Amino acid sequence: MPRNRWPFSLSAAAAITLVMGLAGTVALFAGVRRYEYHRAELDFMQRANVQIAAVQEGLRGAVQALESTNRLFATVDTVSRAQFHTFTQSLLARYPYIQAFNFHRFVAAEQLPAYVAAMRRRYPDFIVNEMYAGKIIPARPKQRYVIVDYLEPMQGNEAALGLDVSPNLYMAQELQRAIDTGLPSATDLLWIAQGKGSRSGFLVLMPVYRHGVPLRDIAARRSAAIGDTAAVFRVGDLVEQILTDGGFIHSSAVNVSVYASSQPDDRELIFRHGLPLVATRTIAWIPDWIWHDDTVAVSRNFDVAGKTWTMVLSSQPMWFAATNRIGWLALVAGILFTLLAAAYLQSVFARAQRIQQLVDQRTAELKEANRLLGVDIAARERAEQALRLRERAIESSANAIFIINADAPDYRIEYVNPAFERITGHAFAAVTGQCLRFLYGSDMDQPGIEEIRAALRDKREGRATLRNHRTDGALFWSDIYIAPVKDRSGGISHFVMTQYDISATKRYEAELEFQANQDMLTGLANRNLLRDRLRQAIAYAARYGHAIWVVFADLDRFKLINDTLGYQAGDALLKEVAKRLLLAVRDTDTVARLGGDEFVLVLPERNDERLTMIAVQRIMDVLAQPLTIEGHEFFPTCSVGVAVFPDDGEDPDTLVKHAEIAMYRAKETGRNNFQFFTAALNEKALDRLRLETDLRKAVERDEFVLHYQPQVDLKSGRMVGMEALIRWQHPERGMVSPARFIGLAEETGLIVPIGQWVIRTACLQNKAWQEAGLGHLRVAVNLSARQFNERDLLQTITTILQETGLDAQYLEVELTESLVMTEVERAIAILRDLKALGLQISIDDFGTGYSSLSYLKRFPIDVLKIDQSFVRDITTDPDDAAIVMSIISLAHNLRLHVIAEGVETETQLTYLRENSCDQIQGYYFSRPLAADAFRMLLEQNACLPNQVQIPTHPIPSKDPLFSQ
């Protein structure tokens, strides 16, 4: 056989590795270069944006310097030259690139001789000249001159004093634009008189107007203009100074160009640093997707006093950036790694070839030997394959499998699979030969261990659930299955044990148990656990004759925290309250949360300690300590009800219910106190429950009626409006006072359908009286807090007005002062929406709550209603009289009308009329009447008796119904 001419042959795997490795290295190099290029490009663009922003800010500051000078002329009637000199010195020091500050004075042709004579008294050689063809000549005759009158600094700028700039058409155009707009206006690049004849500067102009002349339009501005203030900028120095101050001019590799136009144009070039850069290709034959070294340029336009400037920044090719060293490093490393990998695979391939040759040779020899010996090779191979399959199955099992011998009492471990090592953390070498007790350590007090022992002793199958610990001490639960293994003689030689990790199942069971018995937010006992604990406490107390106090605590004004700070703040408060309650009770007591802000405490008596009211007070004191949530300090209080076993109940549900009834009594008596349950409270609670049931039926059975109380104008004595008041005609209780059911309707939410019924009925009735020719009166209805906060309030009222046909101006909604001051911004938004419908809005019971005048003036309201508690004693109590007069004066100053409620006597009427009150409402004129009785009052055209016209100051009104 001929020898191979090469000492080795390149395997396909090595060749593929070499090709793919080199391709991957090139791709990696290209990717790294692209990444580095884009990173450098992004860095350059960010720095470029900073430079452009610096130039913009510097130019803005320079223009602001001129604006400051212009404000001097706007605020001082006559600015002296000394004032101009003093004011501009600091600005010139701050902005060294400003050539000069000027004041151009407009001088008419007929005023020129007098002006020149006045100037020569200060400057003997003064003449008026102009620039023509780049040279300064005496000014030619014209109708108006625009002369450089004030000039700072004078040194170096003498040539500009007395210069008439009106012949410069570009400057004249910008001056006219500045006068018309009142804003700074910049000229194009121009020759400056104090320059050297090059287009090296520009001016920014601002008009100066005659003092005291209104500037309503362009014509008025042109007529009032007497001159302008101007700043002369050395434009190149300006840009260079700004970039130098910002530290941006540091490298010739970066080109900075600034143009005084919207497009880069060398004719408008202001400033250039560095040389223009052109994109180049360092190695032309390398594709662009590998090589990234293009030039990067950034161009931005920005405004300078009405002129658009352009700034362009460009950088050198990325090939020269130091950051590209990473790409070269990746390229070199990739090539080396590829060569090493190919060499390694080639060596492996060569070694495998040699081994395969030896195996083939040895196999052939064995087959020949077995053929001679008559051995069944196929059967032997099948047995070996089956054995290997079982071994692989055990090794691959997800559950732990270990084999122990059957030799009592140690039952030593002979084998564990990889899953056992993973689950328990014990290595195979550390476990082999160990006694079975090794797995459970000192935790032998488990019922399942005895089951395992019995199975081993009886040599039978068994199952147990056990606690185990990993090598790091972590606890886990497992199900153990044990089965005996017989040898060829039928005896038990080993046991195979399978271990299933059921920790997740145990955790899930624990979570279910926790959720079933614990409150998820606070960790306290929930209703189920409370009932169980209370049942056990009752059994113990009944056996030994002890009492149990069941304390029902409800936080006061908890809803306010949820509504103002959100539910997260409310949850934080509940958690803190739970902690405080646990600290306030004994270890043997139970604290539970029923839901929301309701907590129940079970306080059983003990032989050595009797329960007293001090224990309840201690709980309330602990809760009342100040608490800070999201930067807000709170002083949480609670209302507490107490029920006592066995006097107030002998089962958990009854005790909790009676404690809750007592808690509601505590809330009714002013909150932040505690009440014990009594039979009377129970009767009251039952009555309240029956009343709530009847109230729900009343909505369905249409048992409500409306009464109407007139509102009378004090000047004309006639009725101008009425207030709709709800009454409940109960079939058994008779007429039920609103005081009994309105609060209950608010709590249960029934106030919403009841309120809608009131608005619809009042609108229908008012529309019917209008169509009957009984006058166009407005009808006022009260809105509760629950109605006011309904999202569809606006849509509901709109729909009712459309259905009834009543014009919106004849419907008035009344809101209490405390309601609109709870969430002021939200209330203002709702009131504006209602006002947009055309409704009248009044504030009821004004003076009884807390109003901020800063908010009151923002409310879109029409009427303030003085509460009857102030009207009752206005003729006998000076304080009430002063309050009423203050409210009337406040309302009139805010362009509002005033209605006094509860007017019952003629003296009250006379006092209100003498103090310019607009309207009254009360029993003096009429009590609330049913619809039929009120209709008779309208038909009689009733009015106040002995009406006397009292002169009052005119009040501009928002409401045509109130027009005098």
Side-chain angles (χ1 to χ4, degrees):
M1 185 175 206
R3 266 177 86 90
N4 193 337
R5 62 187 299 180
W6 297 102
F8 65 93
S9 61
L10 185 64
S11 68
I16 293 173
T17 300
L18 183 60
V19 172
M20 293 184 64
L22 290 176
T25 300
V26 172
L28 176 63
F29 173 74
V32 172
R33 280 193 57 83
R34 179 180 296 274
Y35 167 74
E36 294 296 335
Y37 173 81
H38 288 308
R39 188 177 68 173
E41 180 184 32
L42 179 60
D43 178 70
F44 177 78
M45 294 182 69
Q46 291 176 340
R47 292 173 57 82
N49 288 329
V50 172
Q51 294 186 28
I52 293 171
V55 171
Q56 287 183 270
E57 187 61 30
L59 290 169
R60 188 180 296 111
V63 173
Q64 288 176 351
L66 175 63
E67 293 176 347
S68 300
T69 306
N70 188 266
R71 282 195 291 271
L72 174 66
F73 284 86
T75 54
V76 179
D77 193 11
T78 302
V79 179
S80 68
R81 297 181 186 274
Q83 288 175 323
F84 187 75
H85 171 78
T86 302
F87 187 84
T88 56
Q89 287 309 300
S90 61
L91 297 176
L92 289 168
R94 188 183 308 169
Y95 305 103
Y97 40 77
I98 296 180
Q99 176 73 28
F101 284 105
N102 298 340
F103 167 59
H104 295 138
R105 186 184 299 276
F106 295 171
V107 180
E110 62 271 15
Q111 298 172 337
L112 184 64
Y115 170 74
V116 172
M119 289 295 290
R120 286 179 176 175
R121 287 195 290 271
R122 177 178 292 272
Y123 307 105
D125 298 330
F126 178 83
I127 62 172
V128 178
N129 46 41
E130 67 181 54
M131 182 171 286
Y132 178 77
K135 298 180 180 180
I136 297 179
I137 64 173
R140 293 169 292 181
K142 52 182 70 71
Q143 292 184 350
R144 189 182 75 170
Y145 300 82
V146 182
I147 302 174
V148 178
D149 190 9
Y150 287 12
L151 177 63
E152 290 294 339
M154 185 65 72
Q155 184 176 0
N157 297 304
E158 295 87 349
L161 182 66
L163 183 68
D164 176 21
V165 298
S166 61
N168 190 316
L169 296 180
Y170 295 110
M171 185 171 174
Q173 291 175 359
E174 297 307 323
L175 176 58
Q176 190 63 53
R177 188 167 70 90
I179 292 173
D180 292 347
T181 63
L183 300 174
S185 181
T187 68
D188 294 330
L189 294 182
L190 46 75
W191 295 333
I192 55 178
Q194 50 273 59
K196 300 190 181 297
S198 62
R199 301 176 71 210
S200 59
F202 72 98
L203 277 71
V204 179
L205 309 169
M206 283 195 71
V208 176
Y209 301 108
R210 189 178 295 106
H211 283 261
V213 177
L215 307 175
R216 293 184 297 270
D217 50 29
I218 293 178
R221 291 192 182 95
R222 291 180 177 178
S223 175
I226 61 174
D228 69 88
T229 56
V232 183
F233 296 92
R234 297 189 301 276
V235 63
D237 295 345
L238 181 149
V239 177
E240 182 174 12
Q241 182 66 38
I242 292 172
L243 294 177
T244 301
D245 291 345
F248 300 125
I249 298 181
H250 55 78
S251 172
S252 61
V254 176
N255 172 260
V256 181
S257 301
V258 182
Y259 304 88
S261 67
S262 60
Q263 298 292 333
D265 187 348
D266 287 345
R267 292 175 299 177
E268 298 295 335
L269 180 66
I270 294 174
F271 173 82
R272 172 171 287 164
H273 171 77
L275 297 175
L277 301 177
V278 181
T280 61
R281 171 71 64 192
T282 307
I283 303 177
W285 54 270
I286 299 181
D288 181 64
W289 65 271
I290 297 178
W291 213 254
H292 296 280
D293 58 350
D294 296 333
T295 297
V296 178
V298 178
S299 177
R300 294 287 186 276
N301 294 337
F302 52 88
D303 180 80
V304 180
K307 294 294 182 182
T308 301
W309 285 25
T310 302
M311 185 170 178
V312 180
L313 294 96
S314 55
S315 72
Q316 65 177 352
M318 292 297 113
W319 167 260
F320 298 102
T323 53
N324 285 318
R325 289 178 296 182
I326 298 177
W328 286 112
L329 181 61
L331 180 63
V332 173
I335 292 174
L336 290 177
F337 177 79
T338 300
L339 293 176
L340 291 174
Y344 172 75
L345 287 176
Q346 178 61 27
S347 66
V348 171
F349 173 75
R351 181 172 176 271
Q353 279 186 327
R354 290 195 299 271
I355 293 174
Q356 185 63 42
Q357 290 174 356
L358 292 174
V359 169
D360 292 344
Q361 181 181 354
R362 184 59 178 164
T363 302
E365 293 174 353
L366 289 175
K367 285 184 177 180
E368 180 61 23
N370 286 325
R371 186 183 63 78
L372 296 174
L373 295 175
V375 177
D376 188 353
I377 302 299
R380 184 175 177 180
E381 288 181 349
R382 285 195 297 272
E384 290 177 352
Q385 289 177 357
L387 181 60
R388 285 196 295 269
L389 177 61
R390 294 186 183 92
E391 289 177 352
R392 287 197 298 270
I394 294 175
E395 294 287 326
S396 303
S397 174
N399 298 308
I401 298 175
F402 48 103
I403 299 173
I404 62 174
N405 61 40
D407 298 335
D410 294 332
Y411 301 103
R412 295 191 180 278
I413 300 173
E414 295 186 359
Y415 168 82
V416 295
N417 70 342
F420 178 89
E421 297 180 352
R422 175 175 50 80
I423 293 174
T424 67
H426 293 290
F428 178 88
V431 174
T432 306
Q434 292 286 347
C435 177
L436 184 60
R437 290 191 300 272
F438 163 78
L439 298 178
Y440 309 108
S442 59
D443 191 10
M444 302 296 292
D445 187 18
Q446 301 186 60
I449 291 180
E450 185 57 36
E451 169 61 20
I452 296 295
R453 286 174 178 169
L456 293 172
R457 185 173 57 249
D458 299 339
K459 300 185 183 304
R460 59 175 175 81
E461 295 182 355
R463 178 185 179 276
T465 300
L466 298 175
R467 292 187 302 269
N468 298 96
H469 291 82
R470 295 185 175 90
T471 53
D472 59 1
L475 171 69
F476 71 98
W477 288 85
S478 61
D479 269 352
I480 301 291
Y481 292 85
I482 184 171
V485 178
K486 297 180 179 180
D487 57 17
R488 291 183 178 181
S489 62
I492 305 299
S493 63
H494 293 82
F495 288 91
V496 61
M497 302 180 70
T498 306
Q499 185 180 41
Y500 299 90
D501 187 352
I502 60 169
S503 301
T505 303
K506 282 289 186 179
R507 284 195 299 270
Y508 182 65
E509 291 176 354
E511 290 176 3
L512 290 179
E513 183 179 1
F514 180 85
Q515 294 175 8
N517 296 293
Q518 306 290 329
D519 176 58
M520 296 300 295
L521 176 64
T522 62
L524 299 177
N526 63 7
R527 191 182 299 271
N528 292 334
L529 187 56
L530 170 67
R531 185 180 291 108
D532 182 67
R533 294 273 183 87
L534 189 51
R535 188 180 295 111
Q536 295 178 26
I538 290 173
Y540 182 85
R543 181 182 304 170
Y544 295 101
H546 295 166
I548 302 174
W549 286 18
V550 178
V551 179
F552 197 110
D554 184 90
L555 297 181
D556 296 329
R557 300 181 179 88
F558 175 71
K559 185 176 183 297
L560 177 62
I561 297 176
N562 271 344
D563 293 343
T564 54
L565 298 183
Y567 289 103
Q568 291 183 347
D571 290 346
L573 175 62
L574 292 175
K575 291 178 182 178
E576 182 61 27
V577 167
K579 293 178 183 177
R580 294 185 177 188
L581 288 175
L582 290 173
L583 293 174
V585 300
R586 303 162 299 183
D587 293 340
T588 57
D589 298 333
T590 296
V591 181
R593 175 175 176 247
L594 298 188
D597 58 340
E598 297 177 341
F599 297 87
V600 174
L601 292 77
V602 179
L603 311 179
E605 278 190 347
R606 296 189 296 201
N607 292 330
D608 57 345
E609 182 181 354
R610 295 294 178 182
L611 291 171
T612 65
M613 289 183 292
I614 297 176
V616 180
Q617 189 61 52
R618 181 177 67 250
I619 294 171
M620 297 181 65
D621 292 342
V622 169
L623 287 183
Q625 296 300 314
L627 171 65
T628 301
I629 298 178
E630 296 184 0
H632 300 273
E633 189 173 36
F634 297 95
F635 294 85
T637 62
C638 63
S639 299
V640 174
V642 182
V644 180
F645 170 84
D647 298 338
D648 300 331
E650 297 183 353
D651 62 89
D653 292 340
T654 301
L655 287 170
V656 172
K657 181 182 71 173
H658 288 172
E660 184 179 11
I661 291 172
M663 180 274 296
Y664 279 114
R665 176 57 181 167
K667 282 191 177 293
E668 292 175 358
T669 55
R671 295 187 173 90
N672 194 22
N673 68 92
F674 63 89
Q675 298 287 328
F676 281 84
F677 174 79
T678 63
L681 288 181
N682 191 36
E683 181 59 33
K684 184 176 181 181
L686 291 175
D687 182 67
R688 183 180 183 278
L689 180 61
R690 288 191 292 268
L691 188 65
E692 179 182 342
T693 303
D694 291 346
L695 185 61
R696 294 184 184 277
K697 296 179 180 178
V699 177
E700 301 171 0
R701 298 173 180 175
D702 197 20
E703 296 176 356
F704 295 108
V705 295
L706 288 184
H707 286 191
Y708 302 89
Q709 187 171 33
Q711 295 172 339
V712 184
D713 181 73
L714 284 179
K715 186 174 183 180
S716 64
R718 299 186 179 279
M719 290 185 292
V720 293
M722 53 192 163
E723 181 178 2
L725 303 169
I726 191 170
R727 298 291 187 267
W728 181 9
Q729 185 64 49
H730 194 279
E732 299 175 359
R733 301 172 185 256
M735 192 67 73
V736 180
S737 169
R740 289 199 61 191
F741 69 85
I742 290 297
L744 182 60
E746 184 81 20
E747 292 179 20
T748 58
L750 293 172
I751 194 67
V752 175
I754 292 175
Q756 294 177 3
W757 178 88
V758 170
I759 297 174
R760 180 175 286 100
T761 303
C763 290
L764 283 171
Q765 184 63 78
N766 194 13
K767 182 64 175 178
W769 284 334
Q770 290 180 7
E771 292 176 348
L774 298 178
H776 289 71
L777 278 66
R778 72 180 184 283
V779 59
V781 296
N782 291 276
L783 287 185
S784 70
R786 193 74 171 264
Q787 288 177 272
F788 190 70
N789 291 318
E790 284 291 310
R791 292 184 179 180
D792 59 347
L793 173 64
L794 189 68
Q795 182 59 43
T796 298
I797 295 179
T798 302
T799 302
I800 291 175
L801 290 174
Q802 292 173 351
E803 292 175 353
T804 59
L806 182 68
D807 196 311
Q809 66 176 323
Y810 300 113
L811 175 62
E812 176 181 309
V813 293
E814 292 189 5
L815 304 144
T816 62
E817 182 182 11
S818 57
L819 188 153
V820 296
M821 293 305 298
T822 300
E823 296 182 62
V824 176
E825 296 300 333
R826 183 172 181 273
I828 291 174
I830 297 175
L831 291 177
R832 286 175 178 170
D833 290 340
L834 293 175
K835 191 64 182 172
L837 291 178
L839 307 181
Q840 304 298 305
I841 301 174
S842 63
I843 301 298
D844 197 10
D845 300 336
F846 187 77
T848 60
Y850 172 76
S851 290
S852 169
L853 297 183
S854 63
Y855 288 132
L856 187 61
K857 70 179 182 180
R858 296 174 57 194
F859 289 139
I861 58 177
D862 303 281
V863 181
L864 293 182
K865 299 189 73 174
I866 305 175
D867 187 67
Q868 60 182 350
S869 61
F870 300 121
V871 175
R872 186 181 301 114
D873 299 322
I874 54 175
T875 59
T876 58
D877 189 336
D879 293 336
D880 285 348
I883 291 174
V884 170
M885 291 179 61
S886 298
I887 295 175
I888 294 173
S889 176
L890 170 66
H892 287 170
N893 288 332
L894 292 176
R895 303 164 64 90
L896 305 176
H897 281 78
V898 187
I899 298 178
E901 296 181 299
V903 178
E904 299 180 354
T905 66
E906 186 174 357
T907 56
Q908 294 171 346
L909 176 67
T910 302
Y911 181 88
L912 293 169
R913 179 183 288 154
E914 291 174 350
N915 284 278
S916 303
C917 183
D918 298 306
Q919 300 171 26
I920 61 109
Q921 174 181 340
Y923 280 19
Y924 178 77
F925 185 80
S926 173
R927 66 177 60 246
L929 301 173
D932 293 340
F934 193 86
R935 178 187 178 95
M936 295 178 61
L937 203 65
L938 292 174
E939 291 173 345
Q940 295 169 4
N941 198 18
C943 60
L944 285 172
N946 303 320
Q947 177 63 26
V948 178
Q949 297 293 332
I950 303 295
T952 60
H953 56 281
I955 311 272
S957 174
K958 306 177 185 177
D959 182 354
L961 290 176
F962 290 114
S963 58
Q964 302 297 325

